PDB file of all heavy atoms in Angstrom:
ATOM      1  N   LYS G 283       1.955 -11.446  -4.447  1.00  0.00           N
ATOM      2  CA  LYS G 283       1.288 -12.521  -3.707  1.00  0.00           C
ATOM      3  C   LYS G 283       1.123 -12.094  -2.253  1.00  0.00           C
ATOM      4  O   LYS G 283       1.708 -11.104  -1.806  1.00  0.00           O
ATOM      5  CB  LYS G 283       2.079 -13.819  -3.808  1.00  0.00           C
ATOM      6  CG  LYS G 283       3.462 -13.764  -3.200  1.00  0.00           C
ATOM      7  CD  LYS G 283       4.217 -15.048  -3.470  1.00  0.00           C
ATOM      8  CE  LYS G 283       5.579 -15.101  -2.861  1.00  0.00           C
ATOM      9  NZ  LYS G 283       6.419 -13.933  -2.950  1.00  0.00           N
ATOM     10  N   GLU G 284       0.332 -12.816  -1.510  1.00  0.00           N
ATOM     11  CA  GLU G 284       0.118 -12.517  -0.096  1.00  0.00           C
ATOM     12  C   GLU G 284       1.446 -12.517   0.640  1.00  0.00           C
ATOM     13  O   GLU G 284       2.303 -13.359   0.396  1.00  0.00           O
ATOM     14  CB  GLU G 284      -0.836 -13.550   0.516  1.00  0.00           C
ATOM     15  CG  GLU G 284      -2.242 -13.443  -0.001  1.00  0.00           C
ATOM     16  CD  GLU G 284      -3.178 -14.485   0.598  1.00  0.00           C
ATOM     17  OE1 GLU G 284      -2.810 -15.136   1.599  1.00  0.00           O
ATOM     18  OE2 GLU G 284      -4.276 -14.642   0.056  1.00  0.00           O
ATOM     19  N   GLY G 285       1.620 -11.536   1.533  1.00  0.00           N
ATOM     20  CA  GLY G 285       2.844 -11.432   2.313  1.00  0.00           C
ATOM     21  C   GLY G 285       3.907 -10.538   1.696  1.00  0.00           C
ATOM     22  O   GLY G 285       4.891 -10.215   2.351  1.00  0.00           O
ATOM     23  N   ASP G 286       3.727 -10.129   0.423  1.00  0.00           N
ATOM     24  CA  ASP G 286       4.709  -9.256  -0.227  1.00  0.00           C
ATOM     25  C   ASP G 286       4.676  -7.865   0.391  1.00  0.00           C
ATOM     26  O   ASP G 286       3.657  -7.408   0.894  1.00  0.00           O
ATOM     27  CB  ASP G 286       4.427  -9.126  -1.725  1.00  0.00           C
ATOM     28  CG  ASP G 286       4.896 -10.334  -2.521  1.00  0.00           C
ATOM     29  OD1 ASP G 286       5.652 -11.155  -1.968  1.00  0.00           O
ATOM     30  OD2 ASP G 286       4.489 -10.460  -3.690  1.00  0.00           O
ATOM     31  N   LEU G 287       5.803  -7.190   0.316  1.00  0.00           N
ATOM     32  CA  LEU G 287       5.935  -5.804   0.749  1.00  0.00           C
ATOM     33  C   LEU G 287       6.023  -4.957  -0.514  1.00  0.00           C
ATOM     34  O   LEU G 287       6.848  -5.228  -1.387  1.00  0.00           O
ATOM     35  CB  LEU G 287       7.199  -5.645   1.592  1.00  0.00           C
ATOM     36  CG  LEU G 287       7.408  -4.349   2.328  1.00  0.00           C
ATOM     37  CD1 LEU G 287       6.252  -4.061   3.289  1.00  0.00           C
ATOM     38  CD2 LEU G 287       8.710  -4.398   3.114  1.00  0.00           C
ATOM     39  N   ILE G 288       5.141  -3.943  -0.622  1.00  0.00           N
ATOM     40  CA  ILE G 288       5.035  -3.169  -1.857  1.00  0.00           C
ATOM     41  C   ILE G 288       5.034  -1.670  -1.581  1.00  0.00           C
ATOM     42  O   ILE G 288       4.785  -1.237  -0.460  1.00  0.00           O
ATOM     43  CB  ILE G 288       3.744  -3.515  -2.627  1.00  0.00           C
ATOM     44  CG1 ILE G 288       2.510  -3.188  -1.767  1.00  0.00           C
ATOM     45  CG2 ILE G 288       3.743  -4.952  -3.100  1.00  0.00           C
ATOM     46  CD1 ILE G 288       1.196  -3.205  -2.510  1.00  0.00           C
ATOM     47  N   TYR G 289       5.305  -0.893  -2.615  1.00  0.00           N
ATOM     48  CA  TYR G 289       5.005   0.532  -2.659  1.00  0.00           C
ATOM     49  C   TYR G 289       3.884   0.688  -3.663  1.00  0.00           C
ATOM     50  O   TYR G 289       3.881   0.042  -4.716  1.00  0.00           O
ATOM     51  CB  TYR G 289       6.224   1.353  -3.086  1.00  0.00           C
ATOM     52  CG  TYR G 289       7.174   1.624  -1.955  1.00  0.00           C
ATOM     53  CD1 TYR G 289       8.279   0.822  -1.736  1.00  0.00           C
ATOM     54  CD2 TYR G 289       6.948   2.693  -1.092  1.00  0.00           C
ATOM     55  CE1 TYR G 289       9.146   1.070  -0.687  1.00  0.00           C
ATOM     56  CE2 TYR G 289       7.810   2.946  -0.040  1.00  0.00           C
ATOM     57  CZ  TYR G 289       8.904   2.137   0.154  1.00  0.00           C
ATOM     58  OH  TYR G 289       9.757   2.376   1.209  1.00  0.00           O
ATOM     59  N   PHE G 290       2.921   1.528  -3.335  1.00  0.00           N
ATOM     60  CA  PHE G 290       1.742   1.696  -4.177  1.00  0.00           C
ATOM     61  C   PHE G 290       1.399   3.168  -4.285  1.00  0.00           C
ATOM     62  O   PHE G 290       1.818   3.988  -3.470  1.00  0.00           O
ATOM     63  CB  PHE G 290       0.552   0.913  -3.605  1.00  0.00           C
ATOM     64  CG  PHE G 290       0.133   1.391  -2.247  1.00  0.00           C
ATOM     65  CD1 PHE G 290      -0.917   2.287  -2.103  1.00  0.00           C
ATOM     66  CD2 PHE G 290       0.788   0.967  -1.102  1.00  0.00           C
ATOM     67  CE1 PHE G 290      -1.299   2.747  -0.850  1.00  0.00           C
ATOM     68  CE2 PHE G 290       0.418   1.411   0.150  1.00  0.00           C
ATOM     69  CZ  PHE G 290      -0.631   2.309   0.278  1.00  0.00           C
ATOM     70  N   ASP G 291       0.617   3.516  -5.298  1.00  0.00           N
ATOM     71  CA  ASP G 291       0.180   4.889  -5.526  1.00  0.00           C
ATOM     72  C   ASP G 291      -0.932   5.218  -4.535  1.00  0.00           C
ATOM     73  O   ASP G 291      -2.027   4.658  -4.607  1.00  0.00           O
ATOM     74  CB  ASP G 291      -0.315   5.040  -6.964  1.00  0.00           C
ATOM     75  CG  ASP G 291      -0.571   6.471  -7.359  1.00  0.00           C
ATOM     76  OD1 ASP G 291      -0.699   7.337  -6.469  1.00  0.00           O
ATOM     77  OD2 ASP G 291      -0.650   6.723  -8.575  1.00  0.00           O
ATOM     78  N   LYS G 292      -0.638   6.129  -3.577  1.00  0.00           N
ATOM     79  CA  LYS G 292      -1.614   6.465  -2.529  1.00  0.00           C
ATOM     80  C   LYS G 292      -2.812   7.235  -3.069  1.00  0.00           C
ATOM     81  O   LYS G 292      -3.828   7.326  -2.407  1.00  0.00           O
ATOM     82  CB  LYS G 292      -0.953   7.305  -1.428  1.00  0.00           C
ATOM     83  CG  LYS G 292       0.075   6.568  -0.624  1.00  0.00           C
ATOM     84  CD  LYS G 292       0.509   7.319   0.612  1.00  0.00           C
ATOM     85  CE  LYS G 292       1.048   8.689   0.354  1.00  0.00           C
ATOM     86  NZ  LYS G 292       1.621   9.330   1.556  1.00  0.00           N
ATOM     87  N   ARG G 293      -2.689   7.815  -4.257  1.00  0.00           N
ATOM     88  CA  ARG G 293      -3.779   8.614  -4.811  1.00  0.00           C
ATOM     89  C   ARG G 293      -4.914   7.758  -5.356  1.00  0.00           C
ATOM     90  O   ARG G 293      -5.987   8.258  -5.655  1.00  0.00           O
ATOM     91  CB  ARG G 293      -3.251   9.524  -5.916  1.00  0.00           C
ATOM     92  CG  ARG G 293      -2.261  10.539  -5.390  1.00  0.00           C
ATOM     93  CD  ARG G 293      -1.734  11.397  -6.493  1.00  0.00           C
ATOM     94  NE  ARG G 293      -0.707  12.296  -5.971  1.00  0.00           N
ATOM     95  CZ  ARG G 293       0.094  12.998  -6.716  1.00  0.00           C
ATOM     96  NH1 ARG G 293      -0.013  12.934  -8.036  1.00  0.00           N
ATOM     97  NH2 ARG G 293       0.988  13.782  -6.172  1.00  0.00           N
ATOM     98  N   ASN G 294      -4.673   6.483  -5.512  1.00  0.00           N
ATOM     99  CA  ASN G 294      -5.692   5.569  -6.033  1.00  0.00           C
ATOM    100  C   ASN G 294      -6.157   4.625  -4.933  1.00  0.00           C
ATOM    101  O   ASN G 294      -5.550   4.529  -3.880  1.00  0.00           O
ATOM    102  CB  ASN G 294      -5.130   4.765  -7.210  1.00  0.00           C
ATOM    103  CG  ASN G 294      -4.770   5.649  -8.374  1.00  0.00           C
ATOM    104  OD1 ASN G 294      -5.472   6.613  -8.658  1.00  0.00           O
ATOM    105  ND2 ASN G 294      -3.681   5.347  -9.042  1.00  0.00           N
ATOM    106  N   GLY G 295      -7.224   3.920  -5.202  1.00  0.00           N
ATOM    107  CA  GLY G 295      -7.737   2.960  -4.239  1.00  0.00           C
ATOM    108  C   GLY G 295      -8.626   3.606  -3.194  1.00  0.00           C
ATOM    109  O   GLY G 295      -8.975   4.777  -3.284  1.00  0.00           O
ATOM    110  N   HIS G 296      -8.997   2.824  -2.204  1.00  0.00           N
ATOM    111  CA  HIS G 296      -9.855   3.300  -1.128  1.00  0.00           C
ATOM    112  C   HIS G 296      -9.614   2.439   0.109  1.00  0.00           C
ATOM    113  O   HIS G 296      -8.818   1.508   0.072  1.00  0.00           O
ATOM    114  CB  HIS G 296     -11.322   3.281  -1.555  1.00  0.00           C
ATOM    115  CG  HIS G 296     -11.783   1.951  -2.066  1.00  0.00           C
ATOM    116  ND1 HIS G 296     -11.575   1.542  -3.357  1.00  0.00           N
ATOM    117  CD2 HIS G 296     -12.425   0.935  -1.456  1.00  0.00           C
ATOM    118  CE1 HIS G 296     -12.078   0.329  -3.515  1.00  0.00           C
ATOM    119  NE2 HIS G 296     -12.591  -0.062  -2.378  1.00  0.00           N
ATOM    120  N   GLN G 297     -10.292   2.784   1.186  1.00  0.00           N
ATOM    121  CA  GLN G 297     -10.132   2.048   2.438  1.00  0.00           C
ATOM    122  C   GLN G 297     -11.455   1.421   2.856  1.00  0.00           C
ATOM    123  O   GLN G 297     -12.519   1.964   2.566  1.00  0.00           O
ATOM    124  CB  GLN G 297      -9.640   2.974   3.547  1.00  0.00           C
ATOM    125  CG  GLN G 297      -8.261   3.516   3.298  1.00  0.00           C
ATOM    126  CD  GLN G 297      -7.785   4.402   4.430  1.00  0.00           C
ATOM    127  OE1 GLN G 297      -8.580   4.996   5.151  1.00  0.00           O
ATOM    128  NE2 GLN G 297      -6.472   4.485   4.597  1.00  0.00           N
ATOM    129  N   VAL G 298     -11.363   0.296   3.539  1.00  0.00           N
ATOM    130  CA  VAL G 298     -12.529  -0.367   4.118  1.00  0.00           C
ATOM    131  C   VAL G 298     -12.224  -0.700   5.563  1.00  0.00           C
ATOM    132  O   VAL G 298     -11.075  -0.937   5.932  1.00  0.00           O
ATOM    133  CB  VAL G 298     -12.927  -1.654   3.350  1.00  0.00           C
ATOM    134  CG1 VAL G 298     -13.378  -1.347   1.948  1.00  0.00           C
ATOM    135  CG2 VAL G 298     -11.809  -2.663   3.330  1.00  0.00           C
ATOM    136  N   ARG G 299     -13.252  -0.703   6.380  1.00  0.00           N
ATOM    137  CA  ARG G 299     -13.108  -1.072   7.790  1.00  0.00           C
ATOM    138  C   ARG G 299     -13.811  -2.413   7.988  1.00  0.00           C
ATOM    139  O   ARG G 299     -15.009  -2.533   7.739  1.00  0.00           O
ATOM    140  CB  ARG G 299     -13.715  -0.011   8.688  1.00  0.00           C
ATOM    141  CG  ARG G 299     -13.531  -0.295  10.177  1.00  0.00           C
ATOM    142  CD  ARG G 299     -14.129   0.783  11.046  1.00  0.00           C
ATOM    143  NE  ARG G 299     -13.570   2.097  10.750  1.00  0.00           N
ATOM    144  CZ  ARG G 299     -12.506   2.626  11.361  1.00  0.00           C
ATOM    145  NH1 ARG G 299     -11.895   1.950  12.314  1.00  0.00           N
ATOM    146  NH2 ARG G 299     -12.067   3.816  11.042  1.00  0.00           N
ATOM    147  N   ILE G 300     -13.046  -3.393   8.456  1.00  0.00           N
ATOM    148  CA  ILE G 300     -13.587  -4.726   8.720  1.00  0.00           C
ATOM    149  C   ILE G 300     -13.186  -5.113  10.131  1.00  0.00           C
ATOM    150  O   ILE G 300     -11.994  -5.134  10.460  1.00  0.00           O
ATOM    151  CB  ILE G 300     -13.070  -5.756   7.692  1.00  0.00           C
ATOM    152  CG1 ILE G 300     -13.498  -5.336   6.281  1.00  0.00           C
ATOM    153  CG2 ILE G 300     -13.575  -7.155   8.034  1.00  0.00           C
ATOM    154  CD1 ILE G 300     -12.922  -6.190   5.191  1.00  0.00           C
ATOM    155  N   ASP G 301     -14.167  -5.395  10.968  1.00  0.00           N
ATOM    156  CA  ASP G 301     -13.935  -5.763  12.371  1.00  0.00           C
ATOM    157  C   ASP G 301     -13.055  -4.735  13.084  1.00  0.00           C
ATOM    158  O   ASP G 301     -12.152  -5.091  13.850  1.00  0.00           O
ATOM    159  CB  ASP G 301     -13.306  -7.158  12.480  1.00  0.00           C
ATOM    160  CG  ASP G 301     -14.232  -8.251  11.970  1.00  0.00           C
ATOM    161  OD1 ASP G 301     -15.466  -8.075  12.066  1.00  0.00           O
ATOM    162  OD2 ASP G 301     -13.722  -9.271  11.478  1.00  0.00           O
ATOM    163  N   GLY G 302     -13.283  -3.453  12.802  1.00  0.00           N
ATOM    164  CA  GLY G 302     -12.555  -2.382  13.465  1.00  0.00           C
ATOM    165  C   GLY G 302     -11.171  -2.094  12.898  1.00  0.00           C
ATOM    166  O   GLY G 302     -10.506  -1.169  13.327  1.00  0.00           O
ATOM    167  N   GLU G 303     -10.728  -2.868  11.953  1.00  0.00           N
ATOM    168  CA  GLU G 303      -9.411  -2.697  11.331  1.00  0.00           C
ATOM    169  C   GLU G 303      -9.585  -2.037   9.960  1.00  0.00           C
ATOM    170  O   GLU G 303     -10.476  -2.407   9.198  1.00  0.00           O
ATOM    171  CB  GLU G 303      -8.737  -4.060  11.166  1.00  0.00           C
ATOM    172  CG  GLU G 303      -7.340  -4.021  10.629  1.00  0.00           C
ATOM    173  CD  GLU G 303      -6.306  -3.651  11.673  1.00  0.00           C
ATOM    174  OE1 GLU G 303      -6.567  -3.855  12.870  1.00  0.00           O
ATOM    175  OE2 GLU G 303      -5.247  -3.162  11.280  1.00  0.00           O
ATOM    176  N   VAL G 304      -8.725  -1.062   9.639  1.00  0.00           N
ATOM    177  CA  VAL G 304      -8.805  -0.368   8.359  1.00  0.00           C
ATOM    178  C   VAL G 304      -7.807  -0.997   7.384  1.00  0.00           C
ATOM    179  O   VAL G 304      -6.632  -1.160   7.699  1.00  0.00           O
ATOM    180  CB  VAL G 304      -8.497   1.142   8.524  1.00  0.00           C
ATOM    181  CG1 VAL G 304      -8.524   1.833   7.183  1.00  0.00           C
ATOM    182  CG2 VAL G 304      -9.505   1.776   9.469  1.00  0.00           C
TER     183      VAL G 304
END
Side-chain angles (χ1 to χ4, degrees):
K283 63 186 182 317
E284 291 179 13
D286 282 347
L287 190 58
I288 61 168
Y289 278 96
F290 62 97
D291 190 342
K292 293 191 303 187
R293 296 179 184 168
N294 296 322
H296 54 277
Q297 295 181 334
V298 295
R299 183 179 303 269
I300 300 174
D301 296 330
E303 184 79 24
V304 177

